[in-house]
Amino acid sequence: MSLATPPRNSNPGKPGGEDDTTAEQPVAFRRGDMPDRETILRFLSENPDRATKRDIAKAFGLKGETRTELKDVLRELEDEGLLERDRKVLRRPGTLPAVTVLEITMRGSGGDLIARPAEWLEKHGAAPVVTVRQSNAGRDSGRGKSRSPSTAAAIGDLVLARIFAAPHGKSTAYTARIMKILERRGGAVLGVFKETPGGGGRLMPIERRGEEYLIDPDATGEAKDGDLVEVETLRAGRVGLPRAKVLTVLGSVESEKAISMIAIHAHGIPHVFPAEVLKAADEAKPAPLSGREDWRHIPLITIDPSDAKDHDDAVYAEQDPSPDNPGGVIVTVAIADVSWYVRAGSALDREALKRGNSAYFPDRVVPMLPERISNDLCSLREGEDRPALAVRMRFSSEGRKIRHKFHRVMIKSAAKLSYQQAQAAIDGKPDDASGPLLEPVLKPLWAAYAVLKRGRERRQPLELDMPERKILLTPEGKVDKVVVPERLDAHKLIEECMIQANVAAAETLEQRRQPLIYRVHDQPSLAKQEVLREFLATLGLSLARGAAVRASSFNSILARASGEPYQIIVNEMVLRSQSQAIYSPENIGHFGLNLMKYTHFTSPIRRYADLIVHRALVGSLALGEGGITADEEAALETIAAEISTTERRAMKAERDTVDRLVAHHLASRIGEAFDGRVSGVTKSGLFVSLPQFGADGFVPISTLGLDYYHYDEAHQALTGEKTGLGYRLGDSVEIKVVEVIPLAGSLRFEMLSEGKKMPTGMRSFHKSGRARRGGPKKPGSRPPRGRR
């Protein structure tokens, strides 16, 4: 056999090949022999674009039994936390995946753009720096078509990029080739304008990591002291603060709309529809009946939150009359036919993809589609003709789906009910709207839910008990109270109907060999399983090793914790162990729902993923106009990455808004004491959540007392070395609010509760984190950011 030394990016046909000649070569090995662990780890670090087990085997010429040995070695590396698995892709913890969303942050001395990943876990340390080559940015997804200069990326832009290891000796860890510009931000910065004597002012950042800017008197626009403004950053001088010019005045930072607007701007969520998009929406006409089945006689109804403005799903159920299916039911789910109005490549479509999904805040909604489409033409309004894609599903008495079929229809909703209305009618308290529907519609729906529930219980999806809090505002936009809405059978009924419709969509498209975007949820990584396993052991609970973990394994743990003092924290730790659900054209199943085929079909008004699935169904089933195009099919990987990013963007913005609202509310209550619960434990201190408000604050370790505290990751605890007293995840405590930074949504607390005596096994510090001394803070020390 010959000796071989595969270099990084050794495939000359792949982008990034310009780095090959300078790549540092690994130690020589005999091709076909099993490489050692260090060589495997090095290969993955240097080849993020070739990071599957098959890639490794191919690179080193492994076959037969050696491939089996490779599988075992990779599993060992995962168990030890040296590798992480993202579907089939392996990578070192703290490294970038082959395709990453980057934010362009500055221009390097050589003219190249410098970027950092748009998302990065703090536990991995500082985010890596990436060099973005503009010469590569001028290509259209590798097809060789040059772009015009106007399409080149600029500072502040979000881009989807393919990542390569940087050549040896380069100043950055990676280089990148831009696949697509996701969003142009143009370097705009949001902050609060503060006037300065003599004219002009300063821009105060809305986040702690933000930078302060000087605004000259002729660059203030119409801004007044205390206004929330968007500015354009100017070229920085050699000395002093960088300068900026006011572009937009968004109103007083104390106004009821300012809080959510901060999050919208900070996260770059598009919130103003371009004129051409509004024009296209206004010119849209109602869909015709021709080419559709007429289902207007079927009493489909919508069941939604009481404050819902758009209604994209309607349901109906009946007993199956077939003698071959005794006790079976037929469930019909009709979904607004958005694909009829929003055609691929249109202005409406481009804007919908840019937004990715609707974003929901306590005081407003930033919709994916203009109101003319979302709240009118596509909303399944009571008593009005509306186009829909419907699926009729037949289930056995045990909840097994026998068959299903999709239809393109015209419906007329028989009623618009809230969850509370529908539930009250079933519970014997119908009103004028629900009363006439009780016997013909609602009772058959509940009977069908009883059947579907049998199938769900057999399937055993992950059953986390995590109550969802909702902030209620006063008419002035201030926090009134935080409530936990009651979880009703009406909610569960609609949820199960939607899940089954989503499954049916995935199955149909697979049968038709139609490319689609799946909703996938990977099983927990081995490293996260081990962290959870160690924590559960401290409570006398166990999570088995060995065979592939299932959702039912976690359900057994949750059942054993039910009713115990640690029930809430066990639910939280199980949740933290889970992977994040994403969109992908590659199907790996949905771990949490315990489903092998799953997609999103039921909310096309507010999610772009569902719109793509609608088009795929229309095209593959030959249901008329508005089907998926060849260009869309070719771009599914990119689309999936984009909408996964916009989904996380919206979630972060929504969470930031809640944090800021609660911080504003508590700004006038500094010094007051509240009951809380330890929601996070770190080497630096404790995060404490206030259930009354649904917000977290931070207790620095320096304020806990005069003892030395040790961080115990396995037990999620801080324990005093001398006293043996400490705090564990889930402990009920009393705290005092000592600092509030409303614009950052930051809270700092002081611990009032004395620590609890830790079990003897938790007081052996040889494997614990570094000891930290409590006591008063050092002068000039800065409190950690008070938010997870």
Side-chain angles (χ1 to χ4, degrees):
M1 293 184 181
S2 61
L3 294 177
T5 55
R8 53 171 89 168
N9 294 327
S10 58
N11 185 346
K14 287 198 172 189
E18 69 272 14
D19 296 342
D20 296 347
T21 56
T22 57
E24 182 180 345
Q25 304 294 314
V27 177
F29 68 97
R30 186 174 297 277
R31 186 168 178 80
D33 287 352
M34 181 67 196
D36 59 30
R37 291 156 50 104
E38 289 71 22
T39 302
I40 292 173
L41 292 173
R42 183 175 179 179
F43 176 82
L44 291 173
S45 295
E46 297 179 347
N47 296 273
D49 57 326
R50 294 190 292 152
T52 66
K53 181 166 68 70
R54 177 181 294 180
D55 289 331
I56 299 170
K58 184 177 179 180
F60 292 97
L62 306 183
K63 298 180 180 180
E65 293 183 0
T66 317
R67 277 186 173 243
T68 303
E69 185 180 351
L70 173 64
K71 182 179 179 181
D72 294 337
V73 171
L74 294 177
R75 184 182 293 112
E76 289 175 5
L77 292 171
E78 284 188 76
D79 288 342
E80 295 171 20
L82 297 175
L83 284 182
E84 292 178 346
R85 183 183 296 272
D86 182 2
R87 291 171 286 171
K88 294 183 179 181
V89 177
L90 297 159
R91 67 173 183 265
R92 300 289 299 274
T95 59
L96 294 179
V99 177
T100 302
V101 177
L102 301 175
E103 181 177 4
I104 310 296
T105 57
M106 61 184 293
R107 189 174 296 280
S109 57
D112 288 328
L113 294 174
I114 304 299
R116 291 185 183 271
E119 295 185 3
W120 186 255
L121 296 177
E122 291 183 5
K123 69 178 183 180
H124 293 320
V129 179
V130 183
T131 299
V132 180
R133 299 188 182 279
Q134 282 288 58
S135 57
N136 288 337
R139 296 190 178 277
D140 184 13
S141 302
R143 296 176 186 174
K145 298 178 182 179
S146 61
R147 293 178 177 173
S148 64
S150 64
T151 62
I155 296 172
D157 289 353
L158 280 182
V159 301
L160 188 70
R162 190 166 294 281
I163 303 297
F164 306 96
H168 184 62
K170 285 286 186 179
S171 59
T172 60
Y174 302 93
T175 62
R177 173 175 61 82
I178 295 176
M179 300 168 65
K180 183 173 184 179
I181 297 176
L182 301 179
E183 184 178 331
R184 293 193 180 278
R185 294 186 177 179
V189 175
L190 196 71
V192 179
F193 178 76
K194 292 294 183 183
E195 292 179 349
T196 55
R202 292 193 177 192
L203 183 80
M204 310 306 294
I206 59 173
E207 297 183 8
R208 288 198 175 193
R209 66 176 182 269
E211 193 170 6
E212 193 173 330
Y213 290 87
L214 186 65
I215 301 175
D216 293 329
D218 60 350
T220 61
E222 301 294 325
K224 299 181 179 64
D225 190 66
D227 277 349
L228 184 68
V229 298
E230 190 176 42
V231 303
E232 175 187 7
T233 58
L234 306 175
R235 186 178 298 276
R238 293 185 178 181
V239 295
L241 293 174
R243 282 173 158 73
K245 174 184 178 182
V246 173
L247 294 178
T248 309
V249 178
L250 301 171
S252 171
V253 75
E254 299 296 333
S255 71
E256 62 185 73
K257 295 182 178 181
I259 302 301
S260 56
M261 283 303 297
I262 289 175
I264 289 168
H265 277 258
H267 291 276
I269 296 177
H271 65 286
V272 177
F273 285 107
E276 64 171 342
V277 174
L278 293 174
K279 182 174 182 290
D282 290 339
E283 292 176 350
K285 306 297 182 185
L289 177 60
S290 60
R292 301 177 182 274
E293 299 176 52
D294 190 348
W295 281 21
R296 289 176 293 181
H297 62 285
I298 300 175
L300 289 144
I301 65 170
T302 62
I303 304 178
D304 289 299
S306 56
D307 57 354
K309 294 183 178 180
D310 55 67
H311 309 276
D312 50 13
D313 57 86
V315 293
Y316 177 72
E318 58 189 318
Q319 288 292 319
D320 189 349
S322 172
D324 297 332
N325 188 27
V329 295
I330 300 174
V331 177
T332 299
V333 174
I335 306 297
D337 188 0
V338 180
S339 63
W340 177 263
Y341 295 102
V342 184
R343 302 297 176 90
S346 66
L348 283 167
D349 180 55
R350 292 193 301 272
E351 184 67 16
L353 176 56
K354 180 180 177 181
R355 296 179 178 225
N357 47 262
S358 299
Y360 295 85
F361 302 94
D363 65 330
R364 73 178 71 211
V365 175
V366 178
M368 184 179 79
L369 296 167
E371 187 173 341
R372 165 69 171 159
I373 301 294
S374 61
N375 293 358
D376 184 2
L377 294 176
C378 286
S379 185
L380 305 183
R381 292 179 172 181
E382 178 180 348
E384 297 186 23
D385 292 356
R386 287 293 183 269
L389 275 183
V391 58
R392 184 169 278 163
M393 301 171 287
R394 192 180 302 270
F395 295 89
S396 72
S397 60
E398 294 303 311
R400 296 182 185 275
K401 184 157 63 66
I402 299 172
R403 67 178 67 91
H404 67 267
K405 185 178 180 182
F406 282 88
H407 308 259
R408 206 171 198 185
V409 300
M410 185 70 72
I411 71 167
K412 181 183 290 187
S413 172
K416 178 188 74 171
L417 299 181
S418 68
Y419 289 113
Q420 291 74 18
Q421 273 182 295
Q423 188 67 55
I426 289 294
D427 293 342
K429 298 178 182 178
D431 59 19
D432 291 343
S434 62
L437 300 168
L438 182 58
E439 294 296 332
V441 178
L442 292 177
K443 285 187 176 180
L445 273 171
W446 255 256
Y449 172 57
V451 170
L452 296 180
K453 190 160 61 172
R454 294 183 197 121
R456 181 183 179 92
E457 290 169 351
R458 183 179 60 255
R459 191 175 82 239
Q460 289 199 54
L462 185 60
E463 299 284 6
L464 285 166
D465 182 16
M466 300 295 293
E468 186 174 340
R469 291 179 173 83
K470 182 176 182 179
I471 286 188
L472 302 181
L473 303 180
T474 65
E476 294 76 31
K478 307 297 183 183
V479 174
D480 181 17
K481 56 185 175 180
V482 179
V483 299
V484 179
E486 184 181 2
R487 177 79 166 155
L488 305 172
D489 280 346
H491 293 101
K492 299 174 184 177
L493 181 158
I494 296 300
E495 178 183 281
E496 196 59 31
C497 287
M498 298 304 115
I499 288 173
Q500 293 300 331
N502 288 335
V503 171
E507 291 176 345
T508 292
L509 293 174
E510 278 202 359
Q511 290 167 2
R512 294 279 173 165
R513 301 184 182 277
Q514 169 64 51
L516 71 147
I517 290 178
Y518 295 91
R519 180 65 167 180
V520 299
H521 181 218
D522 205 354
Q523 68 179 31
S525 69
L526 294 175
K528 287 184 176 181
Q529 288 182 44
E530 191 58 33
V531 170
L532 177 62
R533 190 175 288 112
E534 291 180 2
F535 172 75
L536 293 174
T538 69
L539 302 175
L541 302 174
S542 62
L543 176 64
R545 285 186 173 90
V549 67
R550 294 179 176 273
S552 57
S553 305
F554 293 106
N555 287 340
S556 298
I557 294 167
L558 297 172
R560 292 199 296 275
S562 180
E564 299 291 341
Y566 47 74
Q567 176 181 347
I568 294 177
I569 200 58
V570 169
N571 273 267
E572 287 192 356
M573 288 298 290
V574 170
L575 176 62
R576 292 182 189 186
S577 73
Q578 302 303 304
S579 302
Q580 187 170 36
I582 61 171
Y583 294 108
S584 172
E586 181 181 342
N587 185 26
I588 61 169
H590 197 294
F591 176 82
L593 293 175
N594 198 14
L595 293 166
M596 283 308 301
K597 299 175 183 179
Y598 192 68
T599 190
H600 271 171
F601 158 74
T602 54
S603 296
I605 289 177
R606 61 185 179 90
R607 293 187 307 221
Y608 194 83
D610 305 56
L611 176 55
I612 288 288
V613 169
H614 275 236
R615 289 174 179 162
L617 287 167
V618 169
S620 62
L621 297 175
L623 295 178
E625 299 177 32
I628 194 168
T629 66
D631 286 344
E632 283 182 295
E633 290 181 354
L636 287 183
E637 181 180 4
T638 300
I639 293 172
E642 288 183 50
I643 60 181
S644 294
T645 299
T646 58
E647 178 185 52
R648 291 191 292 271
R649 176 182 68 184
M651 291 171 62
K652 288 181 179 179
E654 291 161 9
R655 178 66 209 178
D656 284 357
T657 298
V658 171
D659 287 346
R660 289 188 174 101
L661 281 169
V662 172
H664 271 265
H665 181 66
L666 294 178
S668 62
R669 305 180 70 173
I670 291 177
E672 290 190 33
F674 296 93
D675 292 329
R677 183 171 51 80
V678 177
S679 58
V681 182
T682 72
K683 291 181 179 180
S684 302
L686 304 169
F687 288 100
V688 176
S689 66
L690 303 183
Q692 181 179 351
F693 301 106
D696 292 330
F698 192 71
V699 180
I701 197 171
S702 59
T703 66
L704 286 179
L706 297 176
D707 206 344
Y708 275 89
Y709 283 84
H710 290 262
Y711 170 57
D712 188 334
E713 183 178 6
H715 295 80
Q716 288 291 292
L718 287 178
T719 305
E721 185 175 277
K722 297 178 181 179
T723 64
L725 301 178
Y727 303 90
R728 294 185 69 183
L729 195 66
D731 282 352
S732 295
V733 295
E734 185 181 17
I735 57 87
K736 180 171 69 176
V737 178
V738 294
E739 183 184 16
V740 178
I741 305 178
L743 287 178
S746 175
L747 304 172
R748 186 165 63 85
F749 300 150
E750 179 184 309
M751 182 66 70
L752 299 180
S753 298
E754 184 176 330
K756 297 178 181 179
K757 199 73 175 178
M758 294 289 110
T760 304
M762 295 177 59
R763 296 170 61 188
S764 176
F765 301 120
H766 66 284
K767 290 186 178 179
S768 300
R770 180 166 57 93
R772 300 287 297 273
R773 181 180 290 278
K777 293 194 302 175
K778 295 179 181 179
S781 65
R782 191 177 184 185
R785 189 180 181 191
R787 189 170 63 79
R788 275 191 299 146

